[in-house]
Amino acid sequence: VVPKAPAKISAALSGAHNKVKISWNASTGANKYYVYYKKSTASSYTKLGETKSLSYTKSGLSSNTKYDFKVVAVYSDGAKDHSDASKYVTAAIKTQKNVAAPKTVKAVRYGHDDGKITWTKSSSATGYYVYMKKAAAADSTYKKIKTITKATTLYYKKASLEDGVKYTFKVVPYYKDGSSNVASVYSKTVSITTLKKIAKPTIAKSSKGYVKVTWKNINGESGYQISQSTTKKGTKIVSTYATTSGKTKKITAKKGKLLYYKVRAYKTVDGKKNYGPWSDVKSYKLK
């Protein structure tokens, strides 16, 4: 029995600019397949190999080159292979230029809900695509948010993100191929967590030599920091309070001295504290 050609075939890059995976549907009566390939400009195919699965991967191809792949269904009775060389399916694909991902990608907050993503230049890139998603598993789909059209523009600012949410950004270089942009298979990601600005705290006497700092909890935090300074614009951290439910803290204070207080939240991500903006300043003199 000579099996028919598979009904469908497809080819796609597989994790590298010059690595292609060919997949096809099963052919009735076949128990293995011959796989062939050639550069599209060549006149004849070369046999890549044989497989019992419905896919075959070829790496180490030439960059930026179009290839044709051919699959022939085979029935082997153990002694002889039965196939018809005229019954096959083909797929064509062009490999990419070797446009690497940026070596580094960084993200910082420049406001309580604004992020700035920066990256290093990618060799041979024409520009960059910037993608974003919420890091939570429930929202795992990247969305393209910006096309950077100059290879020398190595940053993007994204304002008005949701408060208290971890975002992951992905930077994908692309290059021009004729009139089309080709996104590289290589990319680099970075994450950032936004935090709300806390409302101005209230300060009250707690006991002799102590004040009580009170604030309103926000969502998405790991804890809070309290600053007690002798100047309105100064910052002197006197407490780092690891809590997601506490909203008051007892702090020592010098009687009769006007002091300035402010509070900010932080979120611990991968062992590193990410800080939100400071609240407005509240002054208080302990009597």
Side-chain angles (χ1 to χ4, degrees):
V1 177
V2 176
K4 295 180 180 179
K8 188 181 291 186
I9 186 174
S10 62
L13 294 177
S14 182
H17 70 285
N18 60 350
K19 183 179 180 180
V20 173
K21 182 178 181 180
I22 312 100
S23 305
W24 55 89
N25 290 0
S27 177
T28 302
N31 56 14
K32 68 177 181 179
Y33 301 87
Y34 294 157
V35 182
Y36 302 83
Y37 85 126
K38 71 179 181 74
K39 290 183 179 180
S40 295
T41 55
S43 58
S44 60
Y45 283 94
T46 298
K47 187 176 181 180
L48 272 174
E50 303 175 10
T51 181
K52 293 182 179 180
S53 70
L54 299 177
S55 65
Y56 195 95
T57 300
K58 172 62 178 173
S59 59
L61 297 168
S62 298
S63 300
N64 202 35
T65 302
K66 187 176 180 181
Y67 284 88
D68 297 328
F69 293 88
K70 179 172 73 172
V71 176
V72 177
V74 181
Y75 170 71
S76 176
D77 59 15
K80 185 178 180 181
D81 289 350
H82 303 272
S83 65
D84 186 341
S86 66
K87 297 178 179 178
Y88 58 84
V89 284
T90 61
I93 188 172
K94 188 175 184 179
T95 57
Q96 292 186 351
K97 290 182 179 179
N98 187 11
V99 179
K103 287 186 177 180
T104 59
V105 177
K106 298 179 181 179
V108 295
R109 282 193 308 275
Y110 65 94
H112 73 280
D113 61 355
D114 309 315
K116 181 179 180 181
I117 306 95
T118 60
W119 56 89
T120 53
K121 191 176 184 301
S122 176
S123 177
S124 302
T126 302
Y128 305 89
Y129 295 134
V130 182
Y131 295 81
M132 180 184 77
K133 70 171 183 175
K134 291 180 181 177
D139 188 3
S140 59
T141 302
Y142 279 106
K143 296 179 181 178
K144 187 191 293 183
I145 57 173
K146 185 65 177 178
T147 298
I148 305 294
T149 58
K150 294 182 179 180
T152 53
T153 302
L154 303 176
Y155 73 94
Y156 177 67
K157 290 183 176 181
K158 177 62 177 176
S160 301
L161 298 165
E162 290 184 40
D163 295 334
V165 175
K166 183 178 180 181
Y167 288 89
T168 300
F169 295 88
K170 180 170 67 171
V171 179
V172 181
Y174 71 83
Y175 65 94
K176 278 283 188 184
D177 187 8
S179 60
S180 301
N181 292 341
V182 180
S184 173
V185 294
Y186 307 116
S187 63
K188 188 81 79 171
T189 62
V190 67
S191 296
I192 191 172
T193 301
T194 62
L195 290 171
K196 284 185 177 180
K197 180 179 179 178
I198 297 172
K200 184 188 295 187
T202 59
I203 315 297
K205 183 176 180 179
S206 175
S207 58
K208 185 178 180 180
Y210 289 89
V211 296
K212 182 173 70 173
V213 182
T214 303
W215 62 90
K216 185 177 181 180
N217 278 355
I218 64 170
N219 293 325
E221 88 287 27
S222 300
Y224 298 88
Q225 282 191 331
I226 300 170
S227 169
Q228 179 195 69
S229 177
T230 56
T231 62
K232 189 174 182 179
K233 293 185 178 181
T235 299
K236 183 180 180 182
I237 297 168
V238 293
S239 177
T240 298
Y241 186 21
T243 180
T244 58
S245 58
K247 56 184 179 181
T248 62
K249 192 69 175 174
K250 189 177 179 181
I251 302 294
T252 59
K254 188 174 180 180
K255 184 178 178 180
K257 188 171 183 63
L258 183 64
L259 297 171
Y260 299 88
Y261 297 85
K262 57 187 177 182
V263 181
R264 68 177 178 180
Y266 68 86
K267 175 72 173 178
T268 302
V269 180
D270 298 328
K272 182 180 179 181
K273 288 184 176 67
N274 292 271
Y275 296 100
W278 287 108
S279 69
D280 291 338
V281 175
K282 177 69 175 180
S283 61
Y284 185 79
K285 183 187 291 185
L286 181 63
K287 296 180 180 180

